Amino acid sequence: MDYMFYTKQKVLNEKLKEKMENKICLELDTQNKVEVFFHGATITSWVCDGKEKIFLSSKSVFDNKKAIRGGIPIVFPNFGPWEKGPQHGFARIKRWSLKDSMRKIDDKLRVVLFLKDDEETRALWNYNFELEYEIILGVKTLETNLIVKNIGTDEFDFTALLHTYLKVDDIGKVSINDLKGLNYIDKVKNGISETESREAITIDQEFDRIYKSTNDTISINSGDEILTMTKNNLPDIVIWNPWIEKSKKMSDFDDEEYKRMICVEAGRVSTKLILKSNEKITLAQKIQV
């Protein structure tokens, strides 16, 4: 065997093995598929009818340490800055494990990942928990269900969120609907509380708001299609775009990428949820094209 060919083949095999060890791909067909990394259980790609729906920064770091910039990171057990540990908690930077292998159910593909407390998490947040993350790929749909279980003897409280980055062609053509009349916290304006007066929310500057007590269904006009987000036990919606100046300050985000993304994040963040011993709750989201 030619040595050069053998060496190249060995490198390719090692890269393939590394990819298989680091992520799972669900593929209904070549036009409809999902990619999820074990690091953070982060969905990094959702191709629907041949078109990518999820934004992933070209400068994302894949070192199994830093949170992936883009996709759908999981925020748990804390949203925002956290005095006990990393911002947005530890779920998005921990390695998850496979609980239920990929299988087909009717015309959908399903896989389940899980994360349990360990020495590292208990050093920050001393509770016994288990998270299950059910990902279901359908025709024109992506379902993400986060099941939070208290498997310890002490009750705990937490906040959680699915930090969905959506890919768009032009942020100037994007609008988010079904939030008129709702109270929101404007983090750009030092957390003041205001009421949304617009039927359709558009983005033309740095935007970081928490909308409270939202409807279970909202719609996002990406400029060329309507996405519908349906959720359960996730009463809040966070809308975020870093715009020009903040984009320049993020090392894992290109200066111009704010033009091609919008975060519409279903969560339970304005108030904490309490789980008693042996209780569980399912935080569910479904995006449909």
Side-chain angles (χ1 to χ4, degrees):
M1 179 183 294
D2 182 80
Y3 177 76
M4 187 63 70
F5 173 80
Y6 172 78
T7 302
K8 288 182 178 180
Q9 189 63 46
K10 183 179 180 182
V11 170
L12 288 172
N13 289 341
E14 287 175 351
K15 287 183 177 180
L16 179 60
K17 181 181 178 182
E18 182 180 355
K19 284 185 177 181
M20 293 176 67
E21 289 175 346
N22 286 329
K23 66 182 180 181
I24 300 173
C25 294
L26 287 71
E27 189 169 327
L28 281 174
D29 52 53
T30 57
Q31 299 295 300
N32 296 277
K33 50 191 176 181
V34 160
E35 177 182 270
V36 54
F37 275 75
F38 286 109
H39 179 65
T42 304
I43 292 173
T44 54
S45 174
W46 171 34
V47 175
C48 179
D49 288 340
K51 185 177 179 181
E52 181 62 68
K53 305 302 179 186
I54 296 295
F55 169 83
L56 182 68
S57 174
S58 61
K59 292 190 173 181
S60 290
V61 178
F62 294 90
D63 62 357
N64 291 320
K65 296 178 182 178
K66 185 178 176 66
I68 296 170
R69 176 66 70 186
I72 310 181
I74 297 171
V75 173
F76 177 91
N78 185 80
F79 171 75
W82 191 27
E83 69 279 2
K84 296 181 179 179
Q87 174 161 305
H88 289 332
F90 47 69
R92 66 182 187 150
I93 56 174
K94 292 286 289 181
R95 183 177 177 87
W96 292 53
S97 301
L98 187 64
K99 179 155 191 172
D100 196 352
S101 298
M102 182 174 61
R103 58 193 176 98
K104 194 165 187 178
I105 303 174
D106 298 325
D107 59 347
K108 299 179 179 181
L109 286 177
R110 173 185 180 269
V111 70
V112 181
L113 306 182
F114 80 98
L115 177 71
K116 291 183 69 172
D117 61 279
D118 57 22
E119 289 185 9
E120 186 178 33
T121 65
R122 290 191 296 273
L124 301 173
W125 193 66
N126 193 22
Y127 296 103
N128 302 117
F129 70 90
E130 181 176 344
L131 303 180
E132 290 185 11
Y133 193 41
E134 180 185 45
I135 301 166
I136 303 172
L137 172 65
V139 178
K140 296 184 181 296
T141 62
L142 176 62
E143 298 173 59
T144 47
N145 302 318
L146 180 64
I147 300 101
V148 184
K149 301 179 182 179
N150 183 343
I151 58 175
T153 56
D154 299 324
E155 70 175 34
F156 60 70
D157 60 40
F158 67 94
T159 50
L161 173 137
L162 298 177
H163 201 306
T164 305
Y165 288 73
L166 295 172
K167 183 178 181 180
V168 300
D169 292 329
D170 180 358
I171 188 62
K173 297 179 180 179
V174 172
S175 63
I176 301 97
N177 304 287
D178 307 304
L179 298 173
K180 184 180 179 181
L182 298 181
N183 292 330
Y184 65 84
I185 298 168
D186 194 333
K187 296 172 71 178
V188 175
K189 297 180 179 178
N190 297 316
I192 65 171
S193 182
E194 296 186 313
T195 301
E196 183 56 67
S197 60
R198 294 180 291 176
E199 291 282 356
I201 298 165
T202 54
I203 312 295
D204 59 4
Q205 59 187 314
E206 183 183 349
F207 204 97
D208 193 356
R209 295 180 182 178
I210 304 171
Y211 288 85
K212 300 186 286 185
S213 302
T214 63
N215 297 325
D216 283 341
T217 301
I218 66 166
S219 61
I220 303 112
N221 187 335
S222 70
D224 58 2
E225 64 185 0
I226 304 295
L227 301 177
T228 302
M229 179 181 286
T230 306
K231 54 196 179 60
N232 188 42
N233 289 324
L234 294 167
D236 305 314
I237 285 288
V238 176
I239 300 176
W240 180 70
N241 183 290
W243 213 245
I244 300 168
E245 293 306 316
K246 186 162 283 188
S247 294
K248 293 177 181 178
K249 296 176 182 178
M250 295 190 290
S251 62
D252 58 352
F253 192 89
D254 186 79
D255 291 355
E256 298 294 314
E257 287 184 326
Y258 73 91
K259 298 176 182 178
R260 300 186 295 277
M261 55 75 66
I262 182 69
C263 282
V264 182
E265 313 161 26
R268 180 178 284 268
V269 298
S270 58
T271 58
K272 292 184 176 182
L273 179 68
I274 297 174
L275 274 189
K276 295 180 179 179
S277 177
N278 296 318
E279 285 187 339
K280 68 178 181 179
I281 188 169
T282 299
L283 312 176
Q285 172 181 286
K286 179 179 180 180
I287 304 175
Q288 182 163 356
V289 179

